[in-house]
Amino acid sequence: MDAWGLTDLGNVRKQNQDFYDIVTLHPNQLLLVVCDGMGGAKSGNVASRLATEVFVGEVRRTAREDMDVEQIEKMLRDAVSLANQAVFEQSKVSSDFTGMGTTLVAAVLLPDRAIIANVGDSRAYIFDKDGIRFMTVDHSLVELMVRRGEITREQAKTHPSKNLITRAVGTEANVDCDLYNQELHPGDAVLLCSDGLSNEMADQEILFEVVHGVQKEGCCQRLLDIAKGRGAPDNVTVVLATV
Ligand code: CA
């Protein structure tokens, strides 16, 4: 398994509130995580970094090589809860931190499976023989509006409220994460990203770059370059792994 990641300020923002990590838990067990912080100028980056560190610390502490899918799901759920508690507690420490929170999307990769946890509107995609598969459901206002039939998916992309998320890590005492698991085959890839990428690129464009683009090592940079070429009004973070 190989993995690459990068995060970038984008062209407009003065601060990068995204954070990511890639950790080898065991020789055949890889952890990927992307967090996209929100809050005032002094807090969004605090929330995403703290959530990542607490989440990764807890997964590192509890991951065993022989875990089955159910045990990995429980581990991810517990680690999200712990990260949530840490950010929520920190948000009460100073008025600078009031209301801060973060998205969190994470994947544990095994040679034959990805187990994914998600809170918020960062995303996980899987690339396999059938193309690109958008694995997670955004916890966002526009996603709800699309599901209610109030707007189309096309309208959601440019809706003025497209940045409003309905679930975040750290904004309330408890949070529930969505869990997904998907079988993988040799050559398949998994991509996690913040909305700074997914707002700038269509799924099929991401597919093209990951499957037909330059070598995988250069793929994250190429995706970033495309997002920046289109204005990159937000921070951009992308993590790519292959099995
Ligand atoms: Ca963002």
Side-chain angles (χ1 to χ4, degrees), residues 194-207:
S194 61
D195 64 341
L197 182 78
S198 52
N199 282 340
E200 300 305 313
M201 291 186 73
D203 293 1
Q204 293 304 319
E205 293 179 304
I206 298 175
L207 171 70

Side-chain angles (χ1 to χ4, degrees), residues 18 36 194-196 234-235:
D18 288 358
D36 175 353
S194 61
D195 64 341
D234 197 1
N235 309 142

